[in-house]
Amino acid sequence: MRYRVLGRTGIEVSTHCLGTMMFGRIGNPDHEDAARVINTALDAGVNFVDTADMYSAGESEQIVGKALKGRRDDVVLATKVHFPLGEGRNRSGNSRRWILKAVEDSLRRLDTDWIDLYQVHRPDHTTDIEETLSVLGDLVTAGTIRAFGCSTFPAEDLVEAHHVAERRGLMRLRTEQPPYSVLARGVERSVLPTARRLGMGVLTWSPLASGYMSGAYREGRTVDLTTGRARHTPHRFDPALPGNAEKLAAVEQLALLAEESGRTLPELAVAFPLVHPAVTSVIIGPRTMDQLTSLLKGADLVLDDAVLDRIDEIVAPGTDLYRADGVWQPPSLTEQAERRRPAGERAAAD
C-alpha cells in the first residue's frame, strides 16, 4: 500500500481509504463481521478509515469504534457532520450549535478522544461559512479534532471558504471529498483543479458508481428495481431509460478494456481516481470480506497511457454519464425562485 500526505496537513494516509457506509443496518448488520473486514483492511496496510454520523444513524461509528480498539493510534480516523439524526429543529446543518453537539456524539460512538479529520458532509447556505470555519478551528485548538474538511462542495464554495478564512484569520478547509469515477468525471472541470490549487487533500467516493462499475449492471441483463439501491432510485437503474442505456453501453466497453488488460472491471474502476494528480486517496466501501479482498487485489494496478487514452474515448474528461445519489444541488438549481423572476418582471418592456 502506498501512502500520500493529505493535502498540507502533514498526515500520511494510505491511497485506499476504507469507507464504512455499508456497515450497520443499511448494509452489513453483523458488527463482528464488519469489524473483521475493518481489521483485515488495516492488516493490508490501509491506515485511513472514513465514516459519518448519519451512516446507519450512528451505528457505523459504533462499529468502527469497537473495531479500532487497540489500534487507534495507528489509524487516521475521519467522520462527518451535517445530516439530521433525529426529529426537531437545529439537529442538522453546519452551525456552531449543531457541530458542537454532533462532534461530542461522534466521539462517544467512536469511543475515542479525538478525530483526525472532521468533515462537513454537505454545504449549508443557511449558515455563514465563517461560522462553520470558526467552530471547526476552535475544535482543532481544543484538541478534539486534528484537521477539518468538507464533502461534495462545488468549486465556488471551496474558493469562498478559502478567502473567508484568509480574510478573517481562520483555519482553512484542508480536504474535499467528492464523488469521482470513470462514469462521473464532472469534478475534473473545476473541483479537482481548485482543490489542488488550494493545497487541499482529496479523498474520492463512489468509484464503482453505485454498482455500475462493479459489473452488477450489464447490457441485456434484467435489473431488479425492487431491491438494493434500485428500489430507492429506480430511475437511475432502469435500462429502458436513455441515460441509463448510455451508462450500460460505456460499461460494456470498459469491461472489455479491463479484460484486455487482464484485470476486473472493479479493479479498473478503483485504480482510475488515483491517476489524477489532485487525488490523495480513493474510498472503497465494501460490505463483505469478499468484496474487500477483490478490491484490495487491484491495489498494484498501474493504468498506462494507452489504457487511459481509451478511457477518455469511452467517457470524455469532465463528463458525467452517472450522477451519484445524494450529491448536493445548489439553491440556484433546486429553488424555482432563484431561476425565475416574478411574472411581472420577465418582459423586456412594460
Side-chain angles (χ1 to χ4, degrees), residues 30-347:
D30 188 327
H31 287 208
E32 292 186 2
D33 185 55
R36 283 192 290 270
V37 173
I38 294 171
N39 280 285
T40 298
L42 300 184
D43 292 340
V46 173
N47 79 332
F48 198 10
V49 177
D50 178 75
T51 186
D53 57 3
M54 59 88 66
Y55 293 165
S56 292
E59 189 180 2
S60 173
E61 286 187 327
Q62 294 173 343
I63 292 170
V64 169
K66 288 187 288 187
L68 295 186
K69 285 292 185 183
R71 309 186 74 162
R72 177 66 186 90
D73 289 342
D74 299 320
V75 173
V76 178
L77 178 58
T79 192
K80 311 180 197 73
V81 59
H82 172 83
F83 288 106
L85 289 181
E87 299 294 331
R89 300 180 184 276
N90 299 311
R91 295 187 60 81
S92 64
N94 302 342
S95 68
R96 174 177 288 270
R97 188 182 193 278
W98 176 240
I99 286 175
L100 289 176
K101 173 69 167 63
V103 74
E104 291 298 326
D105 291 343
S106 285
L107 288 169
R108 184 182 67 254
R109 287 189 293 263
L110 289 164
D111 195 16
T112 186
D113 295 326
W114 81 98
I115 293 164
D116 294 291
L117 176 63
Y118 199 48
Q119 303 156 99
V120 284
H121 212 152
R122 292 292 186 273
D124 174 11
H125 285 177
T126 68
T127 302
D128 196 313
I129 188 62
E130 182 177 352
E131 170 95 355
T132 303
L133 295 175
S134 176
V135 64
L136 292 172
D138 289 346
L139 289 173
V140 172
T141 301
T144 305
I145 64 178
R146 302 295 189 251
F148 58 85
C150 55
S151 175
T152 321
F153 272 41
E156 61 268 24
D157 281 16
L158 299 180
V159 172
E160 181 189 5
H162 176 82
H163 286 308
V164 167
E166 196 172 55
R167 289 197 308 270
R168 300 299 187 188
L170 299 170
M171 294 183 188
R172 296 191 291 116
L173 294 170
R174 292 297 186 181
T175 63
E176 160 60 10
Q177 185 182 136
Y180 184 36
S181 72
V182 177
L183 298 182
R185 303 184 62 175
V187 293
E188 293 174 342
R189 291 182 175 272
S190 56
V191 172
L192 294 183
T194 298
R196 189 183 186 197
R197 191 159 58 248
L198 296 177
M200 301 176 73
V202 174
L203 47 156
T204 66
W205 57 275
S206 197
L208 300 184
S210 295
Y212 271 98
M213 290 297 293
S214 72
Y217 306 101
R218 299 291 293 271
E219 280 188 330
R221 294 183 186 174
T222 301
V223 177
D224 186 351
L225 300 177
T226 65
T227 62
R229 291 179 183 268
R231 179 170 63 89
H232 299 289
T233 54
H235 63 283
R236 296 183 184 275
F237 300 94
D238 186 348
L241 299 178
N244 295 332
E246 187 179 11
K247 298 170 201 171
L248 292 172
V251 168
E252 290 304 312
Q253 296 182 70
L254 292 165
L256 179 60
L257 178 62
E259 184 179 349
E260 291 172 349
S261 304
R263 294 289 189 158
T264 67
L265 186 61
E267 288 173 0
L268 177 76
V270 173
F272 174 76
L274 291 171
V275 173
H276 198 287
V279 175
T280 310
S281 185
V282 60
I283 297 173
I284 56 174
R287 180 176 54 85
T288 66
M289 188 70 76
D290 287 344
Q291 290 176 354
L292 173 67
T293 301
S294 67
L295 292 172
L296 290 177
K297 185 180 177 182
D300 64 341
L301 176 57
V302 176
L303 300 180
D304 61 29
D305 288 341
V307 171
L308 292 170
D309 289 344
R310 181 69 185 117
I311 290 174
D312 287 349
E313 292 172 2
I314 298 169
V315 182
T319 300
D320 279 332
L321 293 185
Y322 164 84
R323 188 167 181 83
D325 295 339
V327 172
W328 179 83
Q329 292 284 296
S332 57
L333 296 181
T334 61
E335 299 296 329
Q336 193 175 92
E338 295 290 322
R339 294 180 285 107
R340 300 178 184 178
R341 289 180 181 271
E345 299 177 10
R346 295 174 189 173

